[in-house]
Amino acid sequence: MGEYGVAPGQRVAIIWDSSSPVEALKDLVDKVQVLVGADNRVSVENVDQLSQSAHRESSFDVVLSGVVPGSTAQHSAEVLAEIARILKPGGRVLLKEPVLTESGNNSRIKTAAKLPTALTLSGLVEVKELRKEALTPEEAQSVREHLGYQGNDLLLVQIEGKKPNFEVGSSSQLKLSFAKKAGASGKASVDPAAAKLWTLSASDMNDEEMDLLDSDELLDSEDLKKPDPSSLRAPSCKEMGKKKACKNCMCGLAEELEQEKKSSQPKSACGNCYLGDAFRCASCPYLGMPAFKPGEKILLKENQLHDA
């Protein structure tokens, strides 16, 4: 039993599938139970029901999956993720799985190269292959019955991985110190060369080799001209070709459109509005007003502006 790495007092989960021989499963459970001791430290779960088993996070020190002699269990991404979830930080998983020696068309069976990748993607670390061996005739028959694969290019791989020593989503405070290093006097030490580099003394100002720039010389005549206020104004909606004022218009287009609306003359449907009420339609906006000359500008109230 040393090959399974189980120690006394550990909690162990044994995962089986429909291809696992019943007697072999019972024998494995009994042997692991003897190793870890009493107190119900061994749990037995079906691979298809693992996610429904409602085990709490970080429940097991060791998970053994597919290791029942004669088993040909396949581990999906969901199963591997659940195994990683129920493992304690630093816990170990050992599994066996039949794999293809090279890429094939079977979507249920992984290749030998993809199995370690699948464990890594589930959150496990230190993934390594322990053993690779040919299938026994009984295991090959089990693959044909349970996986429907008829090829002869399969190997049985034993692989292990560990859960990192922290939980997913856990946090830890970083101990960072931004304090300056102090010397023997208790004051922060400063590199003399660095201090000299950033220091400009009076003697430096009188140095003939020190060439200082006059900031005024950086400006040309165009920079000194006062800008035209009209050039600083943002273009109005009308200047940008808009026919409708924006919401919360600030450029004056809304007031201009409102004034045009008030001062606009309604079109006459009959052309007789100027003659007086006797010649006006029932809906004429000029009803009640005296006759006027054609083309004369008439101001109407807001409630009189409707189609004639």
Side-chain angles (χ1 to χ4, degrees):
M1 291 300 296
E3 60 177 323
Y4 297 132
V6 178
Q10 289 184 325
R11 289 206 64 198
V12 180
I14 298 177
I15 302 174
W16 60 280
D17 76 323
S18 57
S19 66
S20 304
V22 177
E23 292 301 322
L25 174 61
K26 289 181 178 180
D27 183 58
L28 175 63
V29 172
D30 291 341
K31 290 179 179 179
V32 173
Q33 187 72 63
V34 171
L35 282 174
V36 300
D39 302 330
N40 298 320
R41 293 187 173 273
V42 178
S43 295
V44 182
E45 300 290 348
N46 181 275
V47 67
D48 297 323
Q49 302 297 322
L50 182 61
S51 59
Q52 282 80 40
S53 59
H55 288 296
R56 304 177 72 175
E57 291 183 1
S58 305
S59 297
F60 298 98
D61 299 287
V62 179
V63 172
L64 305 176
S65 183
V67 300
V68 179
S71 174
T72 55
Q74 292 289 303
H75 302 84
S76 65
E78 292 76 13
V79 169
L80 293 175
E82 182 64 12
I83 289 175
R85 188 187 71 83
I86 63 177
L87 268 176
K88 293 180 180 179
R92 176 171 170 269
V93 57
L94 178 69
L95 61 83
K96 283 186 178 180
E97 183 173 324
V99 298
L100 295 166
T101 55
E102 56 186 24
S103 299
N105 297 323
N106 193 297
S107 60
R108 296 187 61 186
I109 303 178
K110 305 178 188 69
T111 62
K114 288 185 177 180
L115 182 57
T117 303
L119 269 72
T120 302
L121 291 176
S122 69
L124 300 173
V125 296
E126 299 182 32
V127 177
K128 58 183 178 181
E129 184 180 297
L130 301 178
R131 186 183 305 169
K132 186 184 293 182
E133 56 191 11
L135 274 68
T136 65
E138 293 78 10
E139 290 168 340
Q141 179 63 29
S142 178
V143 169
R144 288 191 288 270
E145 291 179 359
H146 296 92
L147 302 179
Y149 186 73
Q150 305 298 322
N152 296 318
D153 55 342
L154 293 177
L155 291 174
L156 192 62
V157 172
Q158 181 172 309
I159 194 169
E160 75 169 357
K162 292 183 178 180
K163 184 172 181 176
N165 288 318
F166 55 83
E167 284 289 2
V168 175
S170 61
S171 61
S172 177
Q173 184 176 2
L174 298 178
K175 297 181 180 179
L176 301 177
S177 176
F178 297 98
K180 296 181 179 179
K181 294 182 179 179
S185 62
K187 295 182 179 180
S189 59
V190 179
D191 185 357
K196 184 178 180 180
L197 181 65
W198 294 101
T199 302
L200 187 65
S201 65
S203 59
D204 292 328
M205 300 294 289
N206 297 325
D207 191 345
E208 294 181 357
E209 297 181 359
M210 179 67 66
D211 188 13
L212 299 179
L213 291 177
D214 184 355
S215 58
D216 291 336
E217 294 180 358
L218 299 176
L219 302 175
D220 56 27
S221 57
E222 291 296 325
D223 296 324
L224 299 175
K225 288 183 179 180
K226 186 177 180 179
D228 183 1
S230 62
S231 66
L232 303 177
R233 183 176 60 85
S236 65
C237 299
K238 193 171 184 179
E239 290 171 342
M240 295 176 65
K242 293 185 178 181
K243 296 181 180 180
K244 186 178 180 181
C246 303
K247 186 179 180 181
N248 301 324
C249 178
M250 302 293 291
C251 68
L253 180 59
E255 291 82 357
E256 184 179 341
L257 294 177
E258 183 67 22
Q259 187 63 33
E260 288 179 1
K261 181 179 177 182
K262 290 182 178 180
S263 61
S264 64
Q265 295 290 325
K267 286 187 176 182
S268 173
C270 61
N272 298 326
C273 300
Y274 71 96
L275 296 175
D277 285 351
F279 299 91
R280 293 168 181 162
C281 307
S283 59
C284 182
Y286 296 101
L287 280 175
M289 299 183 66
F292 52 87
K293 295 178 181 181
E296 183 180 356
K297 187 174 181 180
I298 305 298
L299 295 179
L300 299 175
K301 295 180 179 179
E302 186 71 24
N303 58 4
Q304 291 179 293
L305 294 176
H306 52 77
D307 293 334

